[in-house]
Amino acid sequence: MQSIKDIMIQNQKQNDILTKQMLDQMIPEEEYVKDNDIYCKKCGERRTRFGFSRKIWIKCSCQMEQWEKENQASKNMERKRYLEQLRRDSLLGDEYKNATFDKTDVYSDNFAAIYARCEKFCANFEKVLEKGHGIYLFGDKGTGKTHLTACIANELLNKGRPVIYTSMGEISKTIRSNFGSKEMNEAQFMQRLRDVDFLIIDDFGTERVTKNDDDLWLQEKVFEVVNSRYNNRKPMIFTSNYSLQEMVKERGLSGKTADRIREKCVGMELRGKSYRLKKRDKTDFDF
């Protein structure tokens, strides 16, 4: 068994070797040696010290500051990549990728009230997620429903929340086009619609879900998505040219689907002039 003295001698030899290795690695432009320790020329703090049983490198204030900057830059880059991926996954088209509340033209008291409610929805997104509350925005075509929900989508994406922005027509087309696909089958796509934090369905009611009193295949898919999100308190946002009552009477939506939407979504009717035409009138066509 080694004596304490022998262990101390052995440790000293190891530390002498480590000290020499550290001195060989030092940067003369940034560091200097004092009492066998290496110091920073800028802040004057040590960059080496004796640890529990051997000499170790430590970070001075300058190195910590640089490390924090690099770490923050890495986090910023990681977040940027994450947000870019969220935006790609959102299915939000190029036409509305830059739609924001602060760039929105508020043209009437009715529009202003709904605009404020949509902003509040985003500001309170954590409570909304907890309770699964949503929005059913309906009214005449062109009044700005899609623009406002695109503002919601972009605001939530900027907050780092996953969003899917689509329509029942697109859902139908995607499922049919991916039938038998190795990349994503119907079950996987429907799972995405069920699990995403926020699901926005634009132009709800454009696609009829019944014909001659017979349920179409789409009726089943609508209910599957709505019911699953209802049960799991996942927020849903709809835009439509039809009220929920009209959706049932005129577009064939099943009563049980409408009831679930009505319970979880605040209904808001957007009335007034065509927002789309107002936007067109302000466009500077450069041709």
Side-chain angles (χ1 to χ4, degrees):
M1 178 181 292
Q2 284 185 312
S3 66
I4 294 177
K5 182 178 179 181
D6 290 338
I7 292 173
M8 291 179 65
I9 291 173
Q10 183 177 351
N11 286 343
Q12 184 60 48
K13 287 180 180 180
Q14 290 176 344
N15 279 313
D16 288 343
I17 294 172
L18 283 172
T19 299
K20 184 177 183 308
Q21 290 174 344
M22 288 176 169
L23 291 173
D24 290 339
Q25 295 171 21
M26 71 174 285
I27 307 170
E29 294 81 8
E30 297 181 6
E31 301 165 331
Y32 66 93
V33 180
K34 179 182 176 183
D35 299 330
N36 277 339
D37 274 319
I38 297 174
Y39 287 76
C40 173
K41 287 184 177 180
K42 185 176 180 180
C43 66
E45 294 179 0
R46 286 193 301 178
R47 290 186 172 179
T48 59
R49 70 173 176 82
F50 190 77
F52 177 71
S53 62
R54 61 189 181 88
K55 202 157 212 177
I56 60 173
W57 288 100
I58 59 174
K59 284 182 170 63
C60 69
S61 295
C62 298
Q63 290 175 319
M64 281 300 299
E65 182 179 352
Q66 182 62 29
W67 178 83
E68 287 171 358
K69 285 181 180 178
E70 292 174 354
N71 188 47
Q72 187 60 49
S74 177
K75 287 182 178 179
N76 291 343
M77 183 59 67
E78 184 178 344
R79 176 172 173 77
K80 182 180 178 182
R81 286 195 293 264
Y82 173 68
L83 292 178
E84 287 174 349
Q85 186 61 50
L86 282 183
R87 196 163 293 279
R88 285 192 295 270
D89 291 343
S90 73
L91 308 179
L92 186 64
D94 290 343
E95 179 68 22
Y96 292 101
K97 67 180 181 181
N98 295 318
T100 58
F101 288 112
D102 60 346
K103 296 178 183 177
T104 298
D105 181 16
V106 179
Y107 66 87
S108 71
D109 291 343
N110 170 253
F111 189 94
I114 293 175
Y115 169 101
R117 199 75 181 268
C118 291
E119 266 199 318
K120 188 176 180 181
F121 179 91
C122 294
N124 296 325
F125 75 91
E126 290 180 341
K127 290 183 179 178
V128 169
L129 267 175
E130 180 183 347
K131 297 180 179 180
H133 291 166
I135 293 171
Y136 188 88
L137 183 57
F138 67 99
D140 291 339
K141 60 183 179 181
T143 49
K145 302 183 297 295
T146 297
H147 176 85
L148 281 174
T149 51
C151 290
I152 292 175
N154 283 319
E155 185 72 14
L156 293 172
L157 287 168
N158 289 337
K159 292 177 183 294
R161 309 310 308 191
V163 175
I164 289 181
Y165 194 107
T166 186
S167 66
M168 290 312 303
E170 284 298 317
I171 291 173
S172 173
K173 184 170 66 175
T174 300
I175 291 174
R176 295 178 190 279
S177 65
N178 283 320
F179 185 79
S181 169
K182 292 182 179 179
E183 295 181 2
M184 183 184 297
N185 58 34
E186 178 183 335
Q188 291 170 324
F189 179 67
M190 293 299 288
Q191 191 69 43
R192 280 188 64 195
L193 298 180
R194 290 193 293 265
D195 292 347
V196 68
D197 280 2
F198 294 90
L199 176 64
I200 302 176
I201 298 181
D202 191 33
D203 282 335
F204 192 49
T206 300
E207 301 286 328
R208 286 187 61 87
V209 291
T210 60
K211 186 176 182 180
N212 299 326
D213 295 326
D214 290 329
D215 283 352
L216 300 176
W217 167 84
L218 192 57
Q219 178 85 273
E220 175 191 342
K221 299 306 170 188
V222 174
F223 180 74
E224 184 179 340
V225 171
V226 170
N227 187 55
S228 176
R229 295 187 68 83
Y230 172 90
N231 289 334
N232 292 289
R233 292 184 176 179
K234 293 284 190 177
M236 297 173 283
I237 301 170
F238 299 86
T239 74
S240 179
N241 294 340
Y242 307 91
S243 67
L244 276 172
Q245 186 177 2
E246 290 169 333
M247 281 292 296
V248 174
K249 288 184 176 180
E250 300 176 22
R251 308 306 293 171
L253 184 68
S254 71
K256 60 182 181 180
T257 302
D259 286 344
R260 283 161 174 75
I261 295 173
R262 188 178 290 110
E263 182 181 336
K264 285 296 184 179
C265 297
V266 58
M268 298 186 290
E269 182 179 5
L270 189 55
R271 303 180 300 273
K273 302 174 183 177
S274 172
Y275 188 87
R276 193 173 293 125
L277 291 179
K278 285 175 65 67
K279 182 179 177 183
R280 185 205 63 185
D281 292 341
K282 290 187 176 183
T283 302
D284 181 16
F285 293 102
D286 53 356
F287 60 85

